[in-house]
């Protein structure tokens, strides 16, 4: 059974640009959550999607958005990138919101 | 004060030692997760528990719901156990996972 796949693994962008990250969940999982990890703030919840609907959103500015497709694959988008957006972005899939979560390897975003 | 507090933040031990990492939380939860993160970033789920105790190989996790406290134990520690261990709770009110800051464990041969 394939795990959670995140692409790309590494990304370098310039301030002001936008970026799209992708997450393919484990087959059969309908919940996909996104997290930002930085040395200073640790892991923080961005948002959760379930059956193509955003169920919950963390305390991040509107520049951070996401969506989920009918096959449960999810994308997150960050517009007008800032230096502080440099982080490891992780997604996790689960069958339901409060069941065991399986994490991807993450996308390391560097904004220069 | 963080909703999830882990201790210690850093732990160095010799191979073979018994390791304990603690996690305390202040919110109402429906489940607690112990996660392992190796250099490079990938996170592996070790345990998800809502009561009692679970054991997997050399790893044991316990939770006391009344005291809002959980512990992760590693018996006969090995250098390959070196990683960051993260406690996360599913906050029932906020309906999201809330994470501790992690414990960096180093096991020396």
């Amino acid at each position: 059974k394939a795990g959670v796949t995140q692409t790309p693994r590494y990304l370098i962008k310039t301030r002001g640009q936008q970026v799209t990250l992708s997450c393919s969940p484990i087959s059969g999982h309908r919940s996909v959550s996104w997290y930002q990890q930085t040395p200073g703030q640790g892991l923080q919840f961005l948002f959760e999607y379930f059956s193509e609907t955003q169920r919950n959103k963390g305390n991040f500015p509107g520049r951070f958005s996401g969506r989920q497709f009918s096959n449960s694959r999810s994308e997150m988008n960050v517009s007008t990138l800032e230096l502080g957006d440099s982080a490891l972005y992780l997604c996790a899939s689960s069958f339901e919101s409060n069941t065991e979560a399986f994490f991807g390897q993450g996308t390391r975003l560097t904004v220069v | 004060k963080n909703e999830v507090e882990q201790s210690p933040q850093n732990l160095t031990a010799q191979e073979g030692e018994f390791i304990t990492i603690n996690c305390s939380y202040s919110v109402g939860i429906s489940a607690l997760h112990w996660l392992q993160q190796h250099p490079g970033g990938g996170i592996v789920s070790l345990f998800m528990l809502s009561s009692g105790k679970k054991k997997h190989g050399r790893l044991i996790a316990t939770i006391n719901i009344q005291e809002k406290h959980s512990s992760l134990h590693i018996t006969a520690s090995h250098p390959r156990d070196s990683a960051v261990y993260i406690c996360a709770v599913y906050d029932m009110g906020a309906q999201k996972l809330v994470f501790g800051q992690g414990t960096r464990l180093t096991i020396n041969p």
Side-chain angles (χ1 to χ4, degrees), chain A residues 52-71:
Chain A
E52 301 179 68
T53 301
Q54 187 181 85
R55 256 190 180 174
N56 199 0
K57 189 175 182 352
N59 190 24
F60 280 82
R63 301 184 297 105
F64 291 81
S65 63
R67 59 178 175 167
Q68 187 180 34
F69 302 95
S70 58
N71 62 357

Side-chain angles (χ1 to χ4, degrees), chain A residues 9 35 37 40-43 45 56 88 90 97-101 103-105, chain B residues 30-31 33 35 37 40-43 45 48 86 90 94-97 99 101:
Chain A
R9 289 290 311 277
Y35 304 92
Q37 186 178 35
Q41 299 295 320
L43 274 158
F45 171 77
N56 199 0
L88 180 67
L90 290 151
S97 294
N98 190 22
T99 56
E100 186 177 8
F103 287 80
Q105 289 293 306
Chain B
S30 53
H33 303 249
L35 310 170
Q37 186 173 32
I43 289 179
S45 175
M48 175 180 161
I86 302 168
Y90 191 82
Q95 295 190 347
K96 64 178 184 179
L97 275 179
F99 299 85
Q101 287 293 90

